[in-house]
Amino acid sequence: MTSTPSKLSIPAVFSRITAPWQPKMVACVNSTTEIRIAKIQGKFIWHAHPDTDELFYIVDGGPLTLNYRERNDDESSEKKVVLVKGEMWVVPKGVQHLPEAEEEASVMMIEQAGTVNTGNREESDRTATIEDVRS
């Protein structure tokens, strides 16, 4: 028999986040997919997730700019997608990207369980331990 999961208030979790770039896991689906939330402000780092897509959904604030490269390590191939509240975009696996927000953005991300937030740049000062905030 499995236990009944507790419900979780996403606004309450966001209210406890005090620093940008510190993702919190709020759910795990089928043991393979994590739902994470974070506050984003400023620039992240260029990175890629070689084995997984990454979905960004803007819950509040922003806008969030997702800079990406059509050809990895080729600055001349840089493009961007700007997301506002209620919009989402999926970064395909293996695509280098750099999220940034001038104004704080509250973001929900969906990605493969265990994915490092800095992808292939695991030694970055932006690499975070994903805190599990499920009750």
Side-chain angles (χ1 to χ4, degrees):
M1 176 179 272
T2 60
S3 63
T4 304
S6 301
K7 69 179 181 176
L8 183 65
S9 168
I10 299 301
V13 176
F14 271 122
S15 74
R16 294 191 304 267
I17 298 174
T18 59
W21 310 110
Q22 298 300 313
K24 312 295 182 206
M25 181 176 51
V26 295
C28 188
V29 180
N30 296 322
S31 301
T32 61
T33 304
E34 291 180 359
I35 315 301
R36 301 174 180 177
I37 64 172
K39 290 182 178 177
I40 294 176
Q41 187 168 21
K43 278 190 174 187
F44 201 56
I45 59 168
W46 283 104
H47 68 287
H49 303 282
D51 301 316
T52 186
D53 298 333
E54 184 175 24
L55 181 146
F56 288 84
Y57 172 75
I58 310 310
V59 176
D60 201 13
L64 175 70
T65 300
L66 287 163
N67 302 288
Y68 68 97
R69 292 179 174 151
E70 291 183 320
R71 292 177 303 280
N72 286 348
D73 300 320
D74 180 357
E75 291 180 15
S76 70
S77 72
E78 289 180 13
K79 306 284 184 196
K80 67 181 173 181
V81 174
V82 179
L83 303 175
V84 298
K85 182 178 178 178
E87 293 183 326
M88 60 164 260
W89 192 63
V90 177
V91 179
K93 69 180 175 182
V95 172
Q96 286 181 333
H97 56 288
L98 179 150
E100 67 177 307
E102 286 186 29
E103 301 295 323
E104 184 178 85
S106 295
V107 179
M108 181 175 286
M109 295 151 292
I110 302 175
E111 55 199 319
Q112 184 176 356
T115 298
V116 176
N117 69 318
T118 52
N120 62 340
R121 300 274 307 276
E122 292 183 39
E123 300 299 319
S124 168
D125 61 348
R126 292 279 195 184
T127 304
T129 299
I130 310 302
E131 182 184 356
D132 186 343
V133 296
R134 298 175 291 172
S135 315

